[in-house]
Amino acid sequence: MAEIKDPENTVILETTKGRVVIQLLPEVAPEHVARIKELAREKAYDGVVFHRVIEDFMAQTGDVQYGKQGGEHFNPARAGMGGSSKPDLKAEFSATSHVRGTCSMARSQNPNSANSQFFICFTDAPWLNKQYSVWGQVIEGMDVVDKIKRGEPVRDPDSITTMRVAADAAA
């Protein structure tokens, strides 16, 4: 198990495939990290499906509007088209590279449209560098991420069971 050095800047995802621990990078993307923690603390990510999972690329999740199983607006056909009720975030592009285990915000063509959706890279994806806001790095559980069911869209998708800030989980 990975050592959690900064519980306030670590999130723990329990997924249908197992546990994933992500070290947050507030020094790289402070507003995006704040949003991830805010949504995790609201339990907004609980039950959200991995709606777009591409072999040798990434697993995308975080549509708390249409992708939340049991949610008021859950719609598998629309998963990936929604976000949260919070305003979109301004881009926080950085020199941090998209490598295996990188967590980055999904967005539309507008660079300032990230909201709640994010993806985890299966492999290095240098073409994404300085195009998407990196906010975290998997420090435990990439073997779990590797097991997430593939598809665009995914049939009978895996999901986040719970997502918690480690400081809260320890309490």
mmCIF file of all heavy atoms in Angstrom, residues 107-113 132:
data_model
loop_
_atom_site.group_PDB
_atom_site.id
_atom_site.type_symbol
_atom_site.label_atom_id
_atom_site.label_comp_id
_atom_site.label_asym_id
_atom_site.label_seq_id
_atom_site.Cartn_x
_atom_site.Cartn_y
_atom_site.Cartn_z
ATOM 1 N N ARG A 107 -12.726 18.127 -20.763
ATOM 2 C CA ARG A 107 -13.333 19.406 -21.133
ATOM 3 C C ARG A 107 -13.842 19.324 -22.561
ATOM 4 O O ARG A 107 -13.538 18.378 -23.282
ATOM 5 C CB ARG A 107 -12.328 20.545 -20.991
ATOM 6 C CG ARG A 107 -11.104 20.384 -21.909
ATOM 7 C CD ARG A 107 -10.227 21.615 -21.879
ATOM 8 N NE ARG A 107 -9.034 21.492 -22.669
ATOM 9 C CZ ARG A 107 -8.970 21.646 -23.999
ATOM 10 N NH1 ARG A 107 -10.058 21.885 -24.700
ATOM 11 N NH2 ARG A 107 -7.823 21.539 -24.643
ATOM 12 N N SER A 108 -14.578 20.342 -22.981
ATOM 13 C CA SER A 108 -15.019 20.440 -24.376
ATOM 14 C C SER A 108 -13.903 21.126 -25.170
ATOM 15 O O SER A 108 -12.783 21.274 -24.686
ATOM 16 C CB SER A 108 -16.313 21.248 -24.457
ATOM 17 O OG SER A 108 -16.047 22.606 -24.144
ATOM 18 N N GLN A 109 -14.221 21.596 -26.371
ATOM 19 C CA GLN A 109 -13.230 22.329 -27.183
ATOM 20 C C GLN A 109 -12.779 23.603 -26.479
ATOM 21 O O GLN A 109 -11.673 24.075 -26.695
ATOM 22 C CB GLN A 109 -13.824 22.683 -28.553
ATOM 23 C CG GLN A 109 -14.164 21.477 -29.406
ATOM 24 C CD GLN A 109 -12.940 20.755 -29.935
ATOM 25 O OE1 GLN A 109 -11.806 21.106 -29.653
ATOM 26 N NE2 GLN A 109 -13.180 19.731 -30.719
ATOM 27 N N ASN A 110 -13.635 24.162 -25.626
ATOM 28 C CA ASN A 110 -13.292 25.369 -24.881
ATOM 29 C C ASN A 110 -12.322 25.005 -23.751
ATOM 30 O O ASN A 110 -12.670 24.211 -22.880
ATOM 31 C CB ASN A 110 -14.578 25.984 -24.312
ATOM 32 C CG ASN A 110 -14.328 27.220 -23.474
ATOM 33 O OD1 ASN A 110 -13.213 27.528 -23.091
ATOM 34 N ND2 ASN A 110 -15.408 27.929 -23.175
ATOM 35 N N PRO A 111 -11.124 25.581 -23.743
ATOM 36 C CA PRO A 111 -10.143 25.231 -22.704
ATOM 37 C C PRO A 111 -10.623 25.533 -21.280
ATOM 38 O O PRO A 111 -10.157 24.934 -20.328
ATOM 39 C CB PRO A 111 -8.916 26.079 -23.031
ATOM 40 C CG PRO A 111 -9.150 26.659 -24.371
ATOM 41 C CD PRO A 111 -10.607 26.541 -24.696
ATOM 42 N N ASN A 112 -11.580 26.448 -21.146
ATOM 43 C CA ASN A 112 -12.082 26.844 -19.831
ATOM 44 C C ASN A 112 -13.428 26.196 -19.511
ATOM 45 O O ASN A 112 -14.286 26.814 -18.885
ATOM 46 C CB ASN A 112 -12.195 28.378 -19.762
ATOM 47 C CG ASN A 112 -10.855 29.046 -19.972
ATOM 48 O OD1 ASN A 112 -9.854 28.640 -19.395
ATOM 49 N ND2 ASN A 112 -10.818 30.054 -20.813
ATOM 50 N N SER A 113 -13.608 24.942 -19.923
ATOM 51 C CA SER A 113 -14.897 24.268 -19.743
ATOM 52 C C SER A 113 -14.845 23.062 -18.811
ATOM 53 O O SER A 113 -15.837 22.357 -18.675
ATOM 54 C CB SER A 113 -15.459 23.842 -21.103
ATOM 55 O OG SER A 113 -14.599 22.886 -21.702
ATOM 56 N N TYR A 132 -4.653 20.053 -21.253
ATOM 57 C CA TYR A 132 -5.621 19.655 -20.235
ATOM 58 C C TYR A 132 -5.006 19.918 -18.867
ATOM 59 O O TYR A 132 -3.788 19.883 -18.716
ATOM 60 C CB TYR A 132 -5.985 18.172 -20.387
ATOM 61 C CG TYR A 132 -6.791 17.912 -21.637
ATOM 62 C CD1 TYR A 132 -6.175 17.764 -22.865
ATOM 63 C CD2 TYR A 132 -8.182 17.877 -21.587
ATOM 64 C CE1 TYR A 132 -6.911 17.581 -24.029
ATOM 65 C CE2 TYR A 132 -8.931 17.688 -22.740
ATOM 66 C CZ TYR A 132 -8.286 17.548 -23.955
ATOM 67 O OH TYR A 132 -9.020 17.376 -25.097
#
